[in-house]
Amino acid sequence: MSFVNDYWGGALKQMWQSIVNAVGGIFGTDQNDIDEATGLSVYEKNLIRSSWDQAMKNKKEFGVGVFFKLFAKDNPSQDLFEQLRDIPLEELKTNKKMKAHAMRVMASLQTLVDGLDEPELLMEMLRNVAKTHRGQKVFQRHYEILGEVLIAQFEEDFKNKFTPKMRDAWLKAYGVMVKGIMEEYDELGMQTHDSDDEKTTSSTKPTEPTIETTERESPECCKVTGLSVCEKDLIRKSWVHFMKNKNENATLLIINLFKMSEGAQDQFQKFKDTNPDDLVDDIRVRSHGLRVIAALNSVVDNLDDTDCLVDMLQHVAHSHHPRGPTKRHFKDLGGVVVATLDHAVGKKFTEDTKNAWVKAYTVILSVIEKEYDTIDGNANEDKVPDAEAKRNEEIRANGDVKKANTEE
């Protein structure tokens, strides 16, 4: 029966594609029209989207497979990830931190696929990819190897359904992405190629997932998040509705953040001192909003996988702490998310749905706040030896001055 469904499903898709091509030709939208910015035809973009949609049906397994292949093909790449560095390759397939990182990268790739029809938005996202890897010793060859294993994962998962035309479309699109990232590397003065003596640097290691929650009476409630099956379902359904207009909602989310959270807009130098209402059509605002939505989408996807969920949130804390956002900003963001959902979902955003989101965000906030406290604690410990050394230096300097005065 599955074969019959697959056969007829493929036949119907081919028939539909023929109709689309014919109608497109009549109305001037040829499937072979080439996008000057990316070099991709409408047909190639559709091939990329359709194959990506299939992969995202099992995004966690797909993402883990990609990174397992990456580390197997280029073992030194594993050293770039401090949390994964010392884990045997075979154990990585079930490692919670591996799953969390894979989900983050899949979310990032999703935003790039979404931007295929908007070159300006796509380039803004690629610039952000470059900026987020600044100082992490990720070079051009790493992106190229990632592209190779991404294609290999498609081929493994979909066999002959991943056609040569799909492969060629992905190779072309991925080439555009790497080119855009490397151009931003050059613009920022970042190193594009590594040398033999390069060594990875370590960063503050996230703490093990711990969330303080009160004991729940209902067996249906998750012991970590406190969310019931029904509440998770309300969150997922409202999120599906929200994502139907994610471009518009991405902009609205950031505009609401600037209006509702004091000092939040000042965290963005490029938007500082600008009236939020004047930023509605700014592609950079939408680009950032889409990244926030991608992160929230990963949260929704992992409501049933709390290990992965917590690890992703810890990463959010580590990536934002050095940039300046405070715990208060994250607290404000919760209200912004709920308000934006309320506006976007409308009457379907019921009181029960709102309460479920508030409960979920309370958990999100608790993990981020705990990780902020851990980072601050580690930083204070590092400052102690420095402070003592400075004090000793001052004492020695004072002693030298007194000694010189005595000799005179």
Side-chain angles (χ1 to χ4, degrees):
M1 184 60 118
S2 176
F3 172 78
V4 173
N5 289 336
D6 289 344
Y7 174 81
W8 282 108
L12 287 171
K13 283 182 180 177
Q14 288 180 346
M15 185 188 301
W16 177 248
Q17 188 63 58
S18 299
I19 294 171
V20 169
N21 286 338
V23 174
I26 295 171
F27 292 100
T29 330
D30 194 333
Q31 290 287 294
N32 294 316
D33 281 351
I34 303 294
D35 185 329
E36 292 182 6
T38 63
L40 292 165
S41 69
V42 175
Y43 179 63
E44 287 171 323
K45 291 178 184 178
N46 288 338
L47 288 176
I48 290 169
R49 292 190 187 99
S50 62
S51 55
W52 183 252
D53 287 345
Q54 287 299 312
M56 289 303 94
K57 290 179 180 178
N58 295 294
K59 67 176 73 175
K60 193 176 297 180
E61 293 79 3
F62 185 88
V64 169
V66 168
F67 275 89
F68 182 81
K69 284 180 172 60
L70 173 65
F71 297 153
K73 184 179 180 69
D74 183 48
N75 190 252
S77 294
Q78 189 174 341
D79 292 336
L80 294 170
F81 306 89
E82 193 209 1
Q83 299 174 59
L84 306 175
R85 191 176 297 162
D86 300 321
I87 302 172
L89 192 61
E90 283 302 323
E91 293 180 17
L92 284 173
K93 287 185 176 180
T94 56
N95 184 272
K96 62 188 178 185
K97 295 186 182 298
M98 173 77 149
K99 291 191 291 183
H101 183 75
M103 288 294 288
R104 289 194 296 272
V105 174
M106 291 303 102
S108 180
L109 283 171
Q110 178 70 64
T111 63
L112 297 177
V113 171
D114 289 341
L116 286 175
D117 282 333
E118 298 185 72
E120 188 180 351
L121 176 64
L122 179 61
M123 292 304 121
E124 176 65 23
M125 290 174 172
L126 293 173
R127 285 192 286 269
N128 183 70
V129 170
K131 290 172 184 174
T132 56
H133 286 89
R134 184 185 295 179
Q136 295 185 25
K137 301 202 185 318
V138 178
F139 305 110
Q140 181 170 336
R141 72 176 186 86
H142 295 117
Y143 292 106
E144 290 172 347
I145 296 172
L146 179 61
E148 292 172 15
V149 296
L150 177 66
I151 297 296
Q153 190 63 39
F154 273 119
E155 292 174 334
E156 179 181 304
D157 282 7
F158 303 120
K159 306 295 189 294
N160 60 346
K161 291 182 180 178
F162 190 69
T163 65
K165 287 185 177 180
M166 283 182 176
R167 185 178 190 277
D168 291 344
W170 269 103
L171 287 172
K172 188 186 289 188
Y174 197 84
V176 171
M177 293 176 189
V178 173
K179 183 174 181 290
I181 293 169
M182 289 302 106
E183 286 176 352
E184 185 65 14
Y185 266 48
D186 290 337
E187 186 71 22
L188 297 171
M190 292 168 62
Q191 190 175 342
T192 57
H193 295 85
D194 58 345
S195 56
D196 292 336
D197 59 350
E198 288 287 1
K199 295 180 180 179
T200 57
T201 56
S202 63
S203 57
T204 307
K205 186 175 182 180
T207 55
E208 287 302 306
T210 54
I211 305 177
E212 292 179 5
T213 54
T214 55
E215 200 64 38
R216 310 284 174 173
E217 293 182 2
S218 171
E220 291 185 347
C221 288
C222 172
K223 291 181 179 179
V224 176
T225 64
L227 291 167
S228 68
V229 174
C230 179
E231 287 170 324
K232 291 179 186 177
D233 190 48
L234 288 172
I235 289 171
R236 292 186 182 108
K237 285 180 178 178
S238 60
W239 188 248
V240 167
H241 194 92
F242 179 85
M243 292 293 277
K244 289 178 180 177
N245 295 300
K246 66 179 173 183
N247 284 329
E248 179 183 330
N249 292 333
T251 299
L252 179 62
L253 182 68
I254 301 303
I255 298 300
N256 283 345
L257 177 65
F258 291 166
K259 290 180 176 180
M260 296 171 64
S261 178
E262 184 180 353
Q265 189 171 344
D266 294 338
Q267 297 294 318
F268 302 84
Q269 192 63 36
K270 54 193 173 185
F271 304 136
K272 200 173 180 180
D273 301 325
T274 304
N275 187 325
D277 290 328
D278 294 336
L279 294 169
V280 172
D281 296 321
D282 194 310
I283 200 76
R284 297 169 301 173
V285 171
R286 179 144 60 98
S287 173
H288 190 77
L290 286 170
R291 293 197 296 275
V292 175
I293 284 177
L296 287 169
N297 192 63
S298 294
V299 169
V300 174
D301 283 341
N302 286 280
L303 289 175
D304 290 327
D305 188 343
T306 52
D307 283 343
C308 186
L309 175 63
V310 172
D311 198 81
M312 286 192 301
L313 293 173
Q314 288 176 334
H315 177 81
V316 169
H318 279 260
S319 63
H320 283 78
H321 186 275
R323 303 179 198 170
T326 64
K327 290 189 284 187
R328 180 184 63 77
H329 289 126
F330 278 103
K331 184 177 180 180
D332 290 346
L333 179 61
V336 171
V337 168
V338 171
T340 307
L341 279 161
D342 192 6
H343 175 86
V345 179
K347 292 180 180 179
K348 292 182 179 180
F349 197 69
T350 64
E351 195 64 25
D352 286 342
T353 304
K354 178 181 177 180
N355 291 336
W357 270 100
V358 169
K359 187 185 289 188
Y361 197 86
T362 300
V363 176
I364 293 171
L365 184 62
S366 72
V367 176
I368 293 173
E369 286 182 334
K370 280 177 180 290
E371 202 60 29
Y372 259 54
D373 291 341
T374 299
I375 296 168
D376 291 336
N378 290 338
N380 290 334
E381 288 177 7
D382 291 339
K383 289 179 182 177
V384 172
D386 293 339
E388 290 179 352
K390 186 176 180 181
R391 221 168 20 246
N392 291 336
E393 187 178 339
E394 289 174 351
I395 292 171
R396 281 195 298 273
N398 289 335
D400 290 341
V401 171
K402 289 178 181 178
K403 182 178 178 182
N405 290 337
T406 302
E407 290 174 353
E408 288 178 2

